[in-house]
């Protein structure tokens, strides 16, 4: 477990999967991350690479080869990822390709996830380096789970998400058995910017947005106002999810999405897949900002 602290916040990142596992106020008892209760969902904020969600039959093909990879890829819970650098306000973790990764993902890469604590913000940066001689195909994304309610005088129904712009948006439905994207969708927002949270919201799994105008969303309480915002200017997809009846919400900036149930499993044609030329480097960041009024 590695920590960073300033006068407002203390964050913790566990070595396994380089997973952000705590955002705590220094001056009071407020905690903003889900506690990874193993009876409900035993994760805090998995890092997603080189896929988002599930592959069809957990399998992809690439230039004649066939590869098996579980949901969300090879970083989540990976004990091979190591601390690369720590400064007063940054932590950086990396994973290099290996014989083990090449069996699942046929590319030579270095993946780095970096955390920067600055005042009341945490910047999370994904860095992908293509060490191969050919084009690298990949997705990256975040999966941070935020605790709600924060205060004892609130309940889950007091919380809502508020986007920076008015939206008319549908969620793309998942096949509940396979976890794959279907052709079906259902309306979530109609000329508005709010999604009220309630325990039935995720009975059909995650909300998946492909075409939001907004690149910033706030978690707010009807009683205690703005709690935090997630700013994700470089991520065109957004997932919102929680286990039913659980006191958290995941706000998930994505560069990619789960396979469509009719996909041919060719990794090159996967929706949302990114490409990176040989010896090149890719970066994408999102920022979590905790409202200062909850830190005094």
């Amino acid at each position: 477990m590695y920590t960073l602290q300033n006068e407002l916040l203390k964050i913790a990142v566990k070595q396994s999967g380089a997973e952000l596992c705590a955002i705590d106020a220094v001056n009071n008892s407020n905690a903003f991350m889900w506690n990874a209760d193993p009876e409900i969902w035993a994760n805090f904020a998995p890092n997603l690479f080189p896929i988002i969600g599930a592959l069809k039959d957990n399998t992809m093909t690439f230039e004649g080869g066939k590869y098996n990879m579980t949901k969300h890829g090879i970083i989540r819970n990976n004990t091979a990822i190591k601390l690369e650098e720590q400064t007063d306000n940054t932590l950086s973790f990396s994973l290099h390709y290996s014989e083990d990764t090449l069996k699942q993902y046929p590319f030579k890469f270095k993946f780095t996830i970096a955390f920067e604590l600055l005042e009341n913000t945490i910047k999370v940066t994904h860095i992908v380096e293509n060490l191969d001689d050919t084009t690298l195909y990949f997705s990256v994304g975040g999966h941070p789970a935020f605790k709600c309610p924060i205060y004892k005088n609130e309940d889950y129904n007091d919380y809502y998400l508020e986007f920076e712009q008015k939206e008319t948006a549908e969620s793309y439905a998942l096949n509940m058995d396979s976890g794959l994207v279907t052709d079906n969708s259902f309306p979530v927002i109609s000329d508005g910017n709010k999604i009220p949270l309630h325990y039935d919201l995720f009975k059909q799994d995650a909300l998946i947005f492909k075409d939001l105008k907004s690149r910033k969303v706030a978690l707010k309480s009807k009683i205690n106002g703005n709690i935090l915002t997630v700013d994700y200017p470089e991520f065109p997809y957004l997932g919102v999810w929680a286990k039913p009846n659980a006191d958290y919400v995941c706000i998930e900036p994505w560069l990619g999405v789960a396979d469509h149930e009719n996909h041919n499993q060719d990794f090159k044609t996967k929706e949302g897949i990114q490409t990176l030329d040989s010896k090149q480097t890719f970066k994408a960041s999102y920022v979590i900002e905790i409202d200062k009024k909850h830190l005094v």
Side-chain angles (χ1 to χ4, degrees):
M1 193 79 70
Y2 299 88
T3 61
L4 296 173
Q5 184 172 331
N6 61 22
E7 69 281 1
L8 296 174
L9 286 175
K10 179 179 180 180
I11 71 168
V13 181
K14 65 175 188 172
Q15 181 263 325
S16 174
E19 191 173 354
L20 180 66
C21 56
I23 303 173
D24 297 331
V26 170
N27 299 310
N28 59 46
S29 61
N30 287 338
F32 300 92
M33 292 291 294
W34 163 245
N35 65 4
D37 182 346
E39 297 296 316
I40 300 174
W41 188 60
N43 291 271
F44 301 94
N47 297 303
L48 315 183
F49 172 84
I51 58 172
I52 308 296
L55 296 172
K56 187 176 181 179
D57 299 324
N58 289 328
T59 302
M60 69 175 186
T61 62
F62 182 77
E63 296 186 348
K66 191 174 182 179
Y67 304 89
N68 296 105
M69 194 186 312
T70 56
K71 185 176 183 180
H72 293 323
I74 59 177
I75 301 299
R76 184 185 194 184
N77 300 322
N78 192 327
T79 57
I81 195 166
K82 301 298 183 186
L83 179 71
E84 185 165 280
E85 183 179 19
Q86 180 169 8
T87 71
D88 288 344
N89 68 326
T90 65
L91 290 165
S92 178
F93 299 81
S94 63
L95 179 73
H96 284 77
Y97 76 92
S98 65
E99 290 185 9
D100 182 57
T101 67
L102 289 169
K103 293 174 185 176
Q104 305 172 71
Y105 178 61
F107 301 96
K108 296 178 180 179
F109 68 90
K110 179 183 177 184
F111 174 82
T112 302
I113 187 85
F115 303 88
E116 181 181 13
L117 178 62
L118 184 62
E119 294 187 350
N120 58 322
T121 68
I122 304 100
K123 183 177 183 180
V124 183
T125 302
H126 311 74
I127 305 168
V128 181
E129 298 175 61
N130 184 355
L131 306 180
D132 223 321
D133 296 324
T134 59
T135 300
L136 185 147
Y137 294 80
F138 70 100
S139 294
V140 293
H143 201 313
F146 300 108
K147 176 184 175 184
C148 52
I150 298 292
Y151 295 98
K152 292 180 180 179
N153 66 331
E154 304 170 322
D155 62 35
Y156 197 73
N157 290 347
D158 291 321
Y159 277 71
Y160 60 98
L161 299 178
E162 183 175 286
F163 292 93
E164 63 176 338
Q165 298 187 47
K166 278 192 174 182
E167 305 280 356
T168 294
E170 295 185 333
S171 171
Y172 288 77
L174 292 173
N175 182 310
M176 294 289 287
D177 295 322
S178 66
L180 303 181
V181 177
T182 71
D183 287 328
N184 300 320
S185 62
F186 54 91
V188 179
I189 311 172
S190 178
D191 192 29
N193 66 345
K194 295 180 175 63
I195 301 176
L197 296 186
H198 53 87
Y199 286 138
D200 293 334
L201 185 60
F202 306 108
K203 281 196 170 181
Q204 298 181 62
D205 212 313
L207 303 180
I208 298 173
F209 300 106
K210 298 183 181 183
D211 52 6
L212 294 173
K213 300 188 294 290
S214 300
R215 289 293 180 267
K216 182 183 289 188
V217 61
L219 176 63
K220 294 192 171 186
S221 162
K222 297 174 187 176
I223 298 172
N224 289 296
N226 186 58
I227 303 296
L228 58 86
T229 61
V230 179
D231 192 356
Y232 54 97
E234 299 168 289
F235 294 83
Y237 298 88
L238 186 73
V240 180
W241 176 81
K243 286 277 190 179
N245 303 313
D247 287 332
Y248 68 89
V249 63
C250 293
I251 301 173
E252 308 177 42
W254 294 340
L255 266 162
V257 68
D259 271 356
H260 190 279
E261 59 184 357
N262 296 326
H263 187 238
N264 63 8
Q265 298 174 291
D266 182 356
F267 201 54
K268 287 185 177 181
T269 63
K270 179 176 172 59
E271 181 181 353
I273 205 72
Q274 308 295 304
T275 59
L276 185 64
D277 290 341
S278 175
K279 313 308 178 187
Q280 297 303 301
T281 299
F282 167 91
K283 292 184 180 183
S285 303
Y286 66 89
V287 175
I288 302 164
E289 180 178 350
I290 308 300
D291 195 297
K292 285 184 176 179
K293 67 174 172 281
H294 305 291
L295 302 178
V296 294

